[in-house]
Amino acid sequence: MRPYVNRTMTHDNGKHLRRSIRLRDYDYSQAGAYFVTICTYNKECTFCDIKDGKIELNEIGEIANKYLVEIPRHFACVQMDKFVVMPNHLHAVVMINPVGVQNFEPLQHKYQHTISKSIGSIIRTYKSAVSHWCKVNGHDFRWQRNYYEHVIRDEDDLDEIREYIVNNPLKWDLDRENPNNSGRKALRPYGNDLRSC
């Protein structure tokens, strides 16, 4: 069954609101595993080169990778599983673990859309940290708005995603995100397409 995607675009006081690509009424702070893809602005190849299936991270790519590793230091309820930094995007399996009563935080005000310790909060904090480092160090870098996420349903789903992440650099020549892949058959990303990231 495909998840519900709200594709309604509305106008309010002259402001154009973006459509939501999140599951309606789903609590993205609940314990579970999430497959996340984040893209660079205009999918520019900013993080690394891939030669013969091997990733050669540049300075920004090293920071993007380092800050992925450090997410659990900032979110104690989070465990990072498989992840990979590609030239213009990254994939990660983010696991949110159950939080004990001592760590309970009340839900945010109803008009605040991001809940503490949710996937949205984790991704926003991560993107902000990488962007801040780039700005301080004189790099012109931006993320694409939003990100793609997939709620991992079971062990089989998790195993398939892990395999996709591990093999992603080996298949970069066929990746639809590879700007040098014009005219060749594009490798379809895991699950849905990534146009939303």
Side-chain angles (χ1 to χ4, degrees):
M1 181 166 120
R2 290 181 61 113
Y4 171 79
V5 178
N6 180 359
R7 301 200 184 280
T8 306
M9 300 180 94
T10 60
H11 294 272
D12 181 29
N13 296 332
K15 292 182 180 178
H16 185 69
L17 301 177
R18 295 187 340 218
R19 65 183 173 176
S20 174
I21 58 172
R22 306 292 158 236
L23 294 173
R24 178 183 248 165
D25 299 325
Y26 186 85
D27 179 2
Y28 283 96
S29 65
Q30 71 182 337
Y34 302 85
F35 173 52
V36 176
T37 299
I38 313 172
C39 299
T40 60
Y41 183 72
N42 286 335
K43 298 185 183 169
E44 296 169 357
C45 293
T46 309
F47 295 134
C48 64
D49 288 322
I50 296 181
K51 295 178 182 168
D52 299 322
K54 295 189 181 180
I55 299 171
E56 297 176 2
L57 295 172
N58 60 27
E59 189 177 26
I60 298 173
E62 291 282 355
I63 290 302
N65 192 73
K66 176 179 185 267
Y67 286 6
L68 275 173
V69 171
E70 293 179 356
I71 286 174
R73 288 180 45 200
H74 304 282
F75 294 89
C77 62
V78 171
Q79 174 186 346
M80 297 302 293
D81 194 81
K82 295 284 185 201
F83 60 86
V84 65
V85 176
M86 297 293 288
N88 57 10
H89 65 284
L90 60 90
H91 298 296
V93 173
V94 180
M95 305 226 179
I96 298 179
N97 299 311
V99 179
V101 173
Q102 70 275 12
N103 294 328
F104 175 76
E105 290 185 15
L107 290 176
Q108 302 297 318
H109 190 272
K110 68 179 180 177
Y111 296 111
Q112 185 173 344
H113 295 289
T114 303
I115 298 170
S116 174
K117 300 179 185 172
S118 68
I119 282 294
S121 175
I122 294 162
I123 299 305
R124 184 174 55 250
T125 301
Y126 169 77
K127 288 171 74 172
S128 177
V130 173
S131 296
H132 178 74
W133 182 92
C134 289
K135 182 177 180 181
V136 167
N137 290 282
H139 295 285
D140 182 24
F141 171 77
R142 290 190 298 166
W143 293 104
Q144 190 86 355
R145 285 176 108 179
N146 223 332
Y147 60 94
Y148 166 83
E149 117 287 320
H150 165 79
V151 179
I152 298 174
R153 297 177 301 274
D154 54 34
E155 284 294 323
D156 290 340
D157 196 19
L158 179 58
D159 289 343
E160 188 177 344
I161 290 167
R162 284 173 171 159
E163 184 178 345
Y164 174 80
I165 289 172
V166 168
N167 291 325
N168 207 230
L170 300 171
K171 298 179 178 181
W172 175 241
D173 286 341
L174 300 175
D175 197 311
R176 69 188 300 170
E177 304 305 328
N178 184 341
N180 297 322
N181 188 14
S182 60
R184 285 185 274 171
K185 183 178 178 184
L187 175 71
R188 181 172 164 75
Y190 171 83
N192 229 330
D193 66 32
L194 304 178
R195 286 173 292 177
S196 56
C197 67

